[in-house]
Amino acid sequence: MKKLFKSSIVQDKEEKKEYRWQTSLTVIILFIFGSVINIPFSREVKRLNIEAGKTGINMNESFYSDLTTIGISSLILGAVLVFIGLWVSSNANMGAPVISRIFSKKPVNGIIKRDAVLSSVLLAAVIALFLLGLFEIQKELYPVSHKISRPSKPFYLLVSFSAGITEEIMFRLGLMSLIIAAVQFFKKTENPSNRLVWSGILISALFFGLIHLPLSKNFVELTPFTISVTIIGNLITGSTFGWIFWKRGLLVAILSHIVFDLVFHVIGTPYT
């Protein structure tokens, strides 16, 4: 078991450089897809807020208006994130090696073994179950009143895939890679040290937690306790996904994130 978690992806810099354009386009398409499938969840959250009597909530009458807006904005943001993660941060030697390998038509198991992928997914599922257990304890010791109802499971099924794709591209491929590349540039180092990578993992995980506060505000009253729960919970998950991104690449991080959200939000019921 210890060997499984030590296993890292074999980074082929020349292969990633050769297929960078194809990889970039694939990741941008993934980001647009992930952003678009979040629209039903986002609209449902707004509908529930309006139903609960909250004012100042703007929701387009037409789904297609949201589709156009989100499609264009995600194309632009996706291009920026891909440029950061695959071009600016190429010396960080992370990125999306599995996608590049797929375009090379060489066997994927030549750079990453199936057991390493499965161990990443297993780790994500175990973290999800661990946090669900903590939420059950919290409900008994410190009940939190809910402001509005949460979307039903089908919406969370969609958002599991949406968040898994977009958040990994934003926070791991984009932000985490940028932090590491910036420090590399100022320190003039060719390869990032483990300490530098972990700094990137933890800083991006902290931002990952902060970005979830506005969403939490839709459902619970933000108090020092609920803010701490949101930040710490996402710091744990963000660090886990950051480690997976470092050791196994973007595609495995996305898959692991999706599995985490499916276990945590669809199979589990942490906020009821």
Side-chain angles (χ1 to χ4, degrees), residues 86-264:
L86 299 182
W87 299 75
V88 174
S89 306
S90 58
N91 285 338
N93 204 23
M94 294 181 201
V98 174
I99 298 177
S100 299
R101 174 51 61 102
I102 291 170
F103 280 109
S104 76
K105 298 183 180 178
K106 296 176 185 177
V108 173
N109 62 10
I111 61 170
I112 187 167
K113 301 300 181 185
R114 182 172 58 181
D115 287 349
V117 177
L118 292 176
S119 66
S120 301
V121 171
L122 175 63
L123 176 62
V126 168
I127 294 292
L129 292 172
F130 170 72
L131 291 178
L132 285 170
L134 291 183
F135 268 99
E136 290 303 315
I137 295 171
Q138 172 251 303
K139 288 175 192 176
E140 296 297 323
L141 300 178
Y142 197 103
V144 176
S145 58
H146 295 73
K147 294 169 67 177
I148 66 169
S149 301
R150 286 184 169 262
S152 58
K153 295 291 185 180
F155 290 103
Y156 274 106
L157 180 63
L158 278 177
V159 88
S160 295
F161 286 89
S162 171
I165 296 168
T166 58
E167 290 178 356
E168 289 312 300
I169 294 173
M170 287 176 65
F171 290 97
R172 259 56 71 176
L173 183 67
L175 181 59
M176 177 178 152
S177 298
L178 180 61
I179 292 167
I180 294 169
V183 177
Q184 275 185 277
F185 175 79
F186 287 112
K187 284 193 169 185
K188 294 180 171 58
T189 56
E190 183 67 24
N191 296 305
S193 64
N194 288 354
R195 179 180 294 182
L196 172 53
V197 174
W198 272 110
S199 297
I201 289 172
L202 293 172
I203 294 170
S204 59
L206 180 60
F207 279 97
F208 183 62
L210 291 172
I211 206 72
H212 280 81
L213 288 176
L215 181 61
S216 297
K217 188 179 179 181
N218 285 309
F219 305 113
V220 297
E221 199 70 47
L222 288 185
T223 64
F225 177 78
T226 57
I227 290 172
S228 299
V229 166
T230 300
I231 296 294
I232 293 171
N234 284 288
L235 187 62
I236 292 170
T237 55
S239 298
T240 302
F241 302 141
W243 179 85
I244 294 171
F245 172 66
W246 174 30
K247 293 294 185 179
R248 281 85 193 263
L250 177 66
L251 206 57
V252 181
I254 287 173
L255 178 61
S256 302
H257 193 147
I258 290 171
V259 169
F260 173 89
D261 280 356
L262 287 173
V263 173
F264 190 75

Side-chain angles (χ1 to χ4, degrees), residues 43-62:
R43 289 178 64 85
E44 179 65 3
V45 170
K46 289 178 180 179
R47 186 192 69 79
L48 290 170
N49 272 285
I50 293 169
E51 195 176 76
K54 287 191 71 174
T55 58
I57 306 295
N58 297 316
M59 184 169 71
N60 290 325
E61 291 185 9
S62 170

